[in-house]
Amino acid sequence: MKTLIAFIIRVASTTGSNIRSNTQVFFVSVATIAIALSILGVFLVIFVNLNSFLSTWSGQVQLIIYLNDDLTQSQLHQIEQTARQNGFVESVTFNSREQAWENFKKDFAGKSEVIEGLDINPLPASFNLKFKEGADRLEHIRQFADSVRDTDGVESLDYGERWIGRFEKFMVFLRIFLLGIGGLLSLGLILIISNTIKLSILSRQDEVELMLLIGATPRFVKSPFLLEGMIQGVTGAGIALGILKGLQLYIEWQLHHTFESAVHAMEIQFLTPPFIAGLVGLSVLVAVVGSFIAIQQFIYPEAK
Amino acid sequence: MIQIFNLYKTYGGAAPALNDISLSVRRGEFVFLTGPSGAGKTTLLRILYGWENFDRGQVLVHGINIVKLNESNVFLLRRRIGIVFQDYKLLPRKTVFENVAFAQEIIGTERRLIRQKTWEALRDVGLTNKKDFYPRQLSGGEQQRAAIARALVNSPDLILADEPTGNLDPEIGIEILRLFEEAQDRGVTVIFATHSQEMVRSGKHPVIMLSRGQRIKP
């Protein structure tokens, strides 16, 4: 236990000393990480906000089953039963043709003279189905819609499927794009950090060499540099998150300021805790990999 | 202590750096390793402390087959060897005391022992009065004394000294040689590499002579 504590103190003090002797390089590396993660973070914020928009929106989606005008009572009963028996359906509301027409007239009262002049009711009767909350709600709606589409008495279905489909495709694209840009930025960061750590090792080459000659364990030699990489990663990620938060507040303030009450309720959602953890994790991982590569390349080619 | 059989080492050039070297050094023995510059003395020493690979042959140090060591366990061998260099390799930002203590910190010696052992090592080389000096404040001879104290502080079985007097005046060189002889008196095996024939003559120890990578008769 004592040895472990001594080891930890030793690693921490060597790391501190490494950073002090290379302050400028250390901060350049931290700044690079912060900038790269900020770029990635901006895309993540966009993704999080679109995702939350999609989920709010999908929460409001209802399935409307439009019925044929010549629908029989038994067909009506059959469709209603099918809807009520589905475990994911929360409520089923019937809207007769007359009700639909009345609602329509109420909604568009005074807005169109054409409606006033119509003496037939062009609207079909319908069932409005509300589905239970859940991540798979859209999928349940889609499955149910497919199962009743060809039922006798059903004229058509509507739940904005085309829109939702396009939006979902866009989200898939965004995900791939994020992975791509995340991968590229990570690769760049690995190279930058690896070079920074190499400079750090170079500045202490004599000491590192001496440590190896005297009989230091590989862990003893590597740990301070890995810790330095980790500190770079955490600091860089912290600064990036600060930049993102600042950006979010600024944009919100600008929106409120410019549009006053029109978008008063509009708020940009910040990264959720899993995304924050992911960003910090990625940063630390990238930093540690970068440091590790540097140590392996630098220390071991000359030493056995 | 050390056994070498038919050792070959090349750096890719036409002539091998070491060509069919065989030798043995007994426990507690003091041996001069001599020969002109480029003879292969440094290469041989680097192989002995596991810093350099070799192409063919067998090298046993403390009964350990060097070729079987790798990055993760070579430190076990190095902990039993004290190495001294021509350029001292003292850390400039540490005092003499800290330089010697550093060697113990690295191998995880208990803190309370470090102070005591550092003091004893500095006493053995006559440097206690300069313990708080930085290397740049010392003469060449004093720096080499500090380096010897560092090499001895972990009580090694074997000392490998690579031209330890190469940068020093002959009189100071003799003083340094005496320090290694004192270590031998305490049971430490010493291999002392030098190209100085004067030094070899003043020592009266067995000599292994290399020339262009080959062992020749002294």
Side-chain angles (χ1 to χ4, degrees):
Chain A
M1 190 66 191
K2 260 186 181 176
T3 324
L4 181 69
I5 292 168
F7 175 75
I8 291 169
I9 292 171
R10 174 86 212 150
V11 168
S13 84
T14 310
T15 308
S17 157
N18 282 356
I19 294 171
R20 273 196 301 279
S21 60
N22 273 304
T23 320
Q24 207 178 342
V25 176
F26 177 82
F27 282 114
V28 167
S29 179
V30 167
T32 316
I33 296 171
I35 292 166
L37 286 182
S38 298
I39 296 168
L40 187 62
V42 166
F43 286 112
L44 279 177
V45 168
I46 294 172
F47 178 76
V48 164
N49 279 277
L50 286 177
N51 228 2
S52 121
F53 172 66
L54 181 68
S55 92
T56 318
W57 192 52
S58 74
Q60 292 161 358
V61 170
Q62 294 190 4
L63 174 66
I64 304 171
I65 306 174
Y66 292 109
L67 305 168
N68 283 330
D69 290 350
D70 55 359
L71 171 92
T72 65
Q73 270 303 316
S74 73
Q75 284 171 339
L76 182 78
H77 185 69
Q78 174 67 34
I79 295 166
E80 188 173 359
Q81 277 302 104
T82 314
R84 288 195 189 282
Q85 278 164 8
N86 186 296
F88 301 111
V89 173
E90 191 176 279
S91 67
V92 180
T93 321
F94 179 67
N95 226 2
S96 69
R97 294 187 64 208
E98 293 71 30
Q99 257 174 309
W101 183 234
E102 282 309 310
N103 289 344
F104 184 78
K105 280 204 287 192
K106 214 185 287 170
D107 289 346
F108 289 89
K111 288 190 179 167
S112 171
E113 288 169 8
V114 181
I115 300 169
E116 309 290 329
L118 274 176
D119 51 3
I120 53 155
N121 176 3
L123 300 179
S126 62
F127 278 113
N128 274 22
L129 272 63
K130 211 174 159 191
F131 280 72
K132 287 177 185 165
E133 294 269 349
D136 296 334
R137 185 209 295 257
L138 273 176
E139 197 43 45
H140 295 145
I141 295 179
R142 197 171 279 149
Q143 278 171 7
F144 184 77
D146 289 343
S147 72
V148 294
R149 198 181 299 280
D150 297 328
T151 311
D152 289 338
V154 172
E155 189 199 64
S156 62
L157 300 160
D158 183 25
Y159 58 94
E161 70 220 81
R162 204 172 285 174
W163 229 101
I164 291 171
R166 277 189 200 153
F167 202 83
E168 282 179 339
K169 266 184 200 154
F170 174 70
M171 293 305 279
V172 169
F173 164 76
L174 199 62
R175 251 184 215 129
I176 295 168
F177 176 75
L178 278 173
L179 276 177
I181 198 160
L184 279 177
L185 287 173
S186 302
L187 202 68
L189 284 178
I190 287 176
L191 293 175
I192 290 163
I193 292 167
S194 137
N195 278 320
T196 316
I197 297 293
K198 262 186 215 169
L199 286 175
S200 187
I201 299 172
L202 192 66
S203 76
R204 301 184 82 88
Q205 192 181 6
D206 289 347
E207 193 170 329
V208 168
E209 207 173 277
L210 193 69
M211 283 158 86
L212 291 167
L213 287 172
I214 291 172
T217 58
R219 193 179 60 161
F220 190 93
V221 179
K222 288 176 189 176
S223 300
F225 297 107
L226 289 178
L227 183 63
E228 186 180 341
M230 254 187 233
I231 293 172
Q232 285 181 2
V234 172
T235 318
I239 294 172
L241 288 171
I243 291 172
L244 288 175
K245 189 71 194 169
L247 215 60
Q248 177 207 9
L249 294 175
Y250 176 73
I251 292 172
E252 272 180 7
W253 180 77
Q254 279 289 332
L255 283 175
H256 290 180
H257 194 66
T258 316
F259 298 105
E260 289 296 338
S261 58
V263 283
H264 202 67
M266 188 166 176
E267 272 183 7
I268 298 173
Q269 201 186 330
F270 193 59
L271 294 176
T272 51
F275 277 106
I276 293 176
L279 208 64
V280 176
L282 175 75
S283 177
V284 170
L285 180 75
V286 155
V288 169
V289 170
S291 314
F292 188 76
I293 291 173
I295 296 165
Q296 289 300 110
Q297 280 180 346
F298 203 88
I299 296 180
Y300 290 105
E302 50 185 313
K304 183 162 178 160
Chain B
M1 172 63 71
I2 294 172
Q3 287 174 297
I4 298 177
F5 306 100
N6 310 106
L7 178 65
Y8 284 87
K9 164 79 186 174
T10 56
Y11 286 109
L18 295 174
N19 189 356
D20 198 20
I21 301 290
S22 293
L23 59 90
S24 80
V25 178
R26 286 192 307 277
R27 187 177 295 274
E29 197 172 12
F30 188 119
V31 174
F32 278 120
L33 180 64
T34 189
S37 294
K41 304 186 293 292
T42 299
T43 302
L44 183 60
L45 293 182
R46 284 162 73 102
I47 287 172
L48 288 176
Y49 56 80
W51 197 258
E52 195 101 54
N53 291 317
F54 50 91
D55 302 318
R56 266 185 289 151
Q58 291 288 326
V59 180
L60 304 174
V61 180
H62 304 302
I64 300 169
N65 191 344
I66 298 279
V67 86
K68 296 220 168 121
L69 295 175
N70 57 42
E71 178 200 300
S72 62
N73 58 20
V74 70
F75 72 91
L76 292 169
L77 168 77
R78 293 192 189 134
R79 285 183 179 193
R80 299 176 68 180
I81 302 174
I83 309 167
V84 180
F85 300 92
Q86 181 173 358
D87 59 357
Y88 327 124
K89 291 199 192 299
L90 295 170
L91 298 174
R93 281 177 297 204
K94 292 186 191 292
T95 63
V96 167
F97 191 91
E98 287 166 346
N99 264 286
V100 178
F102 182 64
Q104 297 164 87
E105 287 167 18
I106 282 173
I107 65 163
T109 308
E110 278 183 48
R111 276 202 172 274
R112 60 183 179 84
L113 276 178
I114 289 178
R115 236 189 129 63
Q116 182 197 336
K117 289 180 73 179
T118 304
W119 184 264
E120 285 169 6
L122 288 175
R123 185 197 58 204
D124 289 345
V125 297
L127 216 56
T128 46
N129 57 335
K130 300 271 172 92
K131 70 178 178 60
D132 294 325
F133 283 45
Y134 286 92
R136 65 175 182 280
Q137 298 172 302
L138 302 178
S139 68
E142 287 168 335
Q143 288 189 56
Q144 195 58 292
R145 282 170 186 274
I148 293 167
R150 183 183 62 197
L152 289 169
V153 76
N154 289 333
S155 311
D157 309 318
L158 171 66
I159 291 268
L160 299 176
D162 190 4
E163 298 277 4
T165 55
N167 287 350
L168 305 174
D169 294 337
E171 309 88 73
I172 307 290
I174 299 296
E175 282 177 24
I176 295 296
L177 173 65
R178 298 290 168 248
L179 288 176
F180 286 104
E181 287 172 339
E182 283 168 21
Q184 187 211 1
D185 292 342
R186 294 195 291 271
V188 181
T189 311
V190 180
I191 298 188
F192 189 110
T194 178
H195 66 272
S196 160
Q197 293 311 303
E198 202 180 327
M199 188 68 65
V200 172
R201 278 193 295 275
S202 68
K204 301 185 182 70
H205 297 292
V207 176
I208 295 168
M209 186 172 259
L210 298 181
S211 177
R212 293 182 184 177
Q214 285 182 306
R215 187 171 178 186
I216 56 170
K217 282 192 176 166

